[in-house]
């Protein structure tokens, strides 16, 4: 598998697969005409390459198998031992460098399992991705409100979910006290498509999904629904804005806020200060990232609330996604290179 990854690196560097491949722990006794020489760790760069291949193209592929993969004409300054030597037809242009996000170091602030789909897409586009989960999800300080709400689950007319983590932790708690069939009477609303997908993974389809993935957008999407006297359950993060419960109460609803998780800050990854851009998926992610990073990377924000928070925190370069999901984030990264 490791050699197959090397093959992909060399193919991207030269545009074709060379006829001869040599994995070297020491310089070869016989040098083929067109070749890719893969220098294994600890193998020094062979001397006299220019003389050995007079009249032939010789290029050095640095940082292979990474988004920083780069072809440089020989001779050039050499650092480290992680190199591929490309000779002859194999020494073409580095197609890797044609990828639209090549050379960019981008931090993702979600936990690794949630960041995985976006990480893979960005790496395919040439970016170097730094996983920086600024939020770690733990149990709320007081679990009594959620337990009490689950005991009276059949009494609610609506259940509103404002994040995929809210969906996940709510159903984890529900499975401990019963099953999802107790939600049969309630209608379900979510704040956006990502949360709708999380709900669908639980076998349930949202009745209401707003066009804008913010609390104000969900309130607007519920304008046509009768809320007077209705009981609404809002399982959410322990720390969250009060826009949604206050707006529903103003329309006569009885709102029960049940914290089902809280966020704490983990240790930052090494090299965080050197990132070029950071993807922020929430205001809390923006606040926690500011505590971890004193630099000023460009912030790609999933929506206007997150963008406003990033601006208030002193970030100067801010790009807001036009669509409030991961596809919108990718579009924003590509349209603002």
């Amino acid at each position: 598998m490791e050699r197959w990854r090397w093959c992909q690196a060399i193919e991207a560097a030269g545009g074709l697969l060379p006829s001869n491949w040599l994995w070297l722990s020491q310089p070869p006794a016989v040098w083929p005409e067109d070749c890719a020489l893969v220098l294994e760790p600890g193998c020094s760069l062979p001397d006299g390459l220019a003389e050995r291949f007079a009249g032939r193209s010789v290029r050095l592929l640095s940082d292979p198998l990474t988004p920083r993969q780069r072809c440089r004409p020989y001779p050039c300054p050499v650092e480290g031992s992680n190199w591929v030597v490309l000779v002859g037809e194999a020494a073409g242009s580095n197609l890797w460098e044609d990828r639209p996000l090549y050379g960019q170091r981008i931090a993702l602030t979600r936990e690794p399992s949630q960041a995985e789909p976006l990480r893979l897409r960005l790496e395919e586009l040439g970016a170097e991705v730094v996983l920086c989960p600024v939020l770690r999800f733990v149990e709320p300080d007081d679990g009594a409100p959620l337990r009490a709400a689950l005991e009276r689950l059949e009494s609610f007319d609506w259940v509103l979910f404002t994040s995929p983590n809210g969906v996940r932790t709510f159903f984890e708690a529900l499975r401990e006290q019963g099953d999802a069939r107790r939600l049969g009477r309630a209608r379900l609303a979510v704040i956006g498509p990502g949360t709708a997908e999380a709900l669908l993974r639980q076998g349930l389809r949202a009745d209401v999904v707003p066009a804008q993935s913010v609390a104000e957008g969900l309130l607007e999407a519920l304008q046509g629904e009768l809320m007077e006297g209705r009981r609404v359950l809002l399982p959410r993060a322990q720390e969250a804005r009060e826009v949604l419960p206050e707006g529903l109460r103003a329309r006569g609803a009885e709102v029960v806020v049940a914290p089902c998780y809280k966020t704490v800050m983990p240790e930052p990854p090494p090299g965080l200060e050197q990132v070029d851009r950071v993807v922020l998926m929430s205001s809390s992610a923006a606040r926690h990232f500011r505590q971890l990073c004193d630099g000023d990377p460009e912030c790609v924000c999933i929506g206007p609330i997150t963008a406003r928070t990033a601006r208030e925190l002193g970030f100067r370069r801010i790009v807001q996604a036009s669509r409030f999901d991961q596809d919108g984030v990718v579009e924003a990264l590509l349209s603002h290179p």
Side-chain angles (χ1 to χ4, degrees), residues 214-276:
V214 291
E216 291 84 352
L218 183 52
L219 282 174
E220 183 177 351
L222 291 169
Q223 279 295 328
E225 304 291 341
L226 178 63
M227 287 294 168
E228 182 72 33
R230 297 295 188 263
R231 283 176 52 79
V232 179
L233 175 60
L234 183 54
R236 65 175 194 179
Q238 180 172 299
E239 52 293 295
R241 297 193 304 150
E242 295 300 314
V243 171
L244 192 54
E246 289 178 356
L248 293 170
R249 288 175 182 137
R251 294 179 53 193
E254 178 187 348
V255 181
V256 174
V257 175
C260 49
Y261 68 97
K262 77 170 183 177
T263 56
V264 296
M265 193 164 50
E267 291 296 318
L272 187 59
E273 299 290 338
Q274 284 73 49
V275 300
D276 304 299

Side-chain angles (χ1 to χ4, degrees), residues 57-78:
S57 297
V58 178
R59 288 164 68 85
L60 300 183
L61 177 63
S62 63
D63 292 315
L65 311 180
T66 77
R68 299 181 305 277
Q69 177 170 306
R70 180 183 177 194
C71 269
R72 296 196 284 174
Y74 179 85
C76 61
V78 175

Side-chain angles (χ1 to χ4, degrees), residues 96 144-145 167 206 211 264 267 279 284:
W96 202 290
V167 173
V264 296
E267 291 296 318
V279 175
S284 56

Side-chain angles (χ1 to χ4, degrees), residues 115-132:
E116 184 68 5
L118 184 55
R119 179 187 69 81
L120 293 175
R121 290 186 64 183
L122 296 185
E123 288 183 346
E124 288 174 358
L125 293 168
E128 177 188 1
V129 175
V130 176
L131 293 180
C132 176

Side-chain angles (χ1 to χ4, degrees), residues 140-177:
D141 292 335
D142 184 4
L146 179 59
R147 290 193 296 270
L150 292 175
E151 290 173 358
R152 304 189 306 272
L153 192 56
E154 292 86 351
S155 69
F156 290 100
D157 302 289
W158 284 90
V159 181
L160 276 53
F161 296 100
T162 58
S163 72
N165 286 306
V167 173
R168 177 181 58 81
T169 53
F170 173 83
F171 280 92
E172 286 175 355
L174 177 57
R175 281 190 287 272
E176 293 180 0
Q177 291 192 225

Side-chain angles (χ1 to χ4, degrees), residues 86-143:
L86 303 173
V87 180
E89 290 187 35
S93 61
N94 182 15
L95 301 184
W96 202 290
E97 296 180 28
D98 294 334
R99 301 186 182 197
L101 297 180
Y102 172 79
Q104 296 187 28
R105 198 175 198 198
I106 301 174
L108 299 184
T109 55
R110 309 191 82 176
E111 61 176 320
S113 61
Q114 292 181 321
E116 184 68 5
L118 184 55
R119 179 187 69 81
L120 293 175
R121 290 186 64 183
L122 296 185
E123 288 183 346
E124 288 174 358
L125 293 168
E128 177 188 1
V129 175
V130 176
L131 293 180
C132 176
V134 296
L135 304 177
R136 186 164 57 90
F137 305 103
V138 298
E139 293 184 358
D141 292 335
D142 184 4

